[in-house]
Amino acid sequence: VREELVLKILAPHLSLDANMIRRFVQELKLTRRITHRNVIRIYDLLDLEGAHGISMEYFAGRDLGQVLRRDGPMQPDRVVRIVEQVLEGLSAAHELGIIHRDIKPANLLVGDDDTTKIVDFGLASVGQSTKSRLTASGILVGTPEYISPEQITGHKVDGRTDLYSLGAVMYEMLTGKPPFGGENAVNVLFQHLEASIPPVHEVLPGAPRELSDLVACAMDRAMDGRPASAASMLERLRAAH
């Protein structure tokens, strides 16, 4: 039909890992249910004779990590414009009981006009789970710089898990660096559980206090301290702007 697509190919040696294949198939089944302008559409699972792939919507954009490396810290107005779209996409997913689990700059695609789409629900899960985030292959589900405390400790997760990660992404968008960093992943994980970070408005004098407070709220270690939902956080974001 002459449409441009993206093919996401799982490395052949990973195709031998039954657990990885199950997660790959789960990505297809879950994400196909989400139809929203701010979420990349997933089409089909492909068996490539020894490897597997997924066909998905093509979107001409850079991931947010690339944008930040190129442009540096963002103005608050631009942060709000991008994060609004992420929250709208997350709201649509959460209403279906789908949690992303790995919100990070690399999974947020930004177009030339700042149109933003969430990609890679491959780590998503329906509803709540009390399973450890370590898979049978020893792979931690989540990215150290943005992972929520409950994912690290293996407690139940829900939509507020994605809000924590998005709060960490917002911190980086505004200040130019992730809230936590260290020599290795373990060091970063411990910081999410124990360390405190200076508020955005202290790192970035002149940053809107309401926006700084929202980032701190989203990154509350206690899930109950965070916004109740993506829709609730979106409402607060718009009020802070």
Side-chain angles (χ1 to χ4, degrees), residues 63-170:
D63 73 59
L64 180 61
Q66 292 174 311
V67 175
L68 289 169
R69 284 192 293 274
R70 182 191 67 188
D71 299 345
M74 294 181 173
Q75 292 296 315
D77 284 357
R78 191 179 187 197
V79 172
V80 170
R81 186 162 64 246
I82 290 171
V83 173
E84 271 186 331
Q85 297 175 74
V86 176
L87 285 168
E88 287 181 357
L90 286 177
S91 290
H94 292 171
E95 284 174 10
L96 294 170
I98 301 170
I99 305 162
H100 190 288
R101 292 182 185 271
D102 196 22
I103 293 293
K104 59 184 177 182
N107 283 336
L108 303 175
L109 302 183
V110 181
D112 290 338
D113 59 353
D114 280 349
T115 297
T116 303
K117 293 177 182 273
I118 306 169
V119 70
D120 196 358
F121 273 81
L123 306 179
S125 171
V126 173
Q128 298 181 354
S129 171
T130 55
K131 293 181 180 178
S132 168
R133 299 283 70 76
L134 275 175
T135 68
S137 306
I139 298 169
L140 184 70
V141 178
T143 302
E145 287 78 11
Y146 313 97
I147 194 170
S148 69
E150 60 272 14
Q151 284 175 285
I152 298 169
T153 58
H155 288 83
K156 71 176 182 179
V157 302
D158 61 23
R160 294 169 294 179
T161 296
D162 288 341
L163 302 187
Y164 180 95
S165 299
L166 182 56
V169 171
M170 289 176 69

Side-chain angles (χ1 to χ4, degrees), residues 149-218:
E150 60 272 14
Q151 284 175 285
I152 298 169
T153 58
H155 288 83
K156 71 176 182 179
V157 302
D158 61 23
R160 294 169 294 179
T161 296
D162 288 341
L163 302 187
Y164 180 95
S165 299
L166 182 56
V169 171
M170 289 176 69
Y171 192 97
E172 182 173 358
M173 293 170 78
L174 289 161
T175 68
K177 59 183 181 180
F180 301 116
E183 295 179 0
N184 55 60
V186 173
N187 181 265
V188 176
L189 295 177
F190 272 114
Q191 289 180 57
H192 282 284
L193 297 176
E194 298 176 356
S196 57
I197 50 174
V200 168
H201 67 273
E202 290 184 8
V203 179
L204 188 69
R209 183 60 183 267
E210 297 86 350
L211 205 52
S212 176
D213 290 346
L214 181 57
V215 171
C217 179

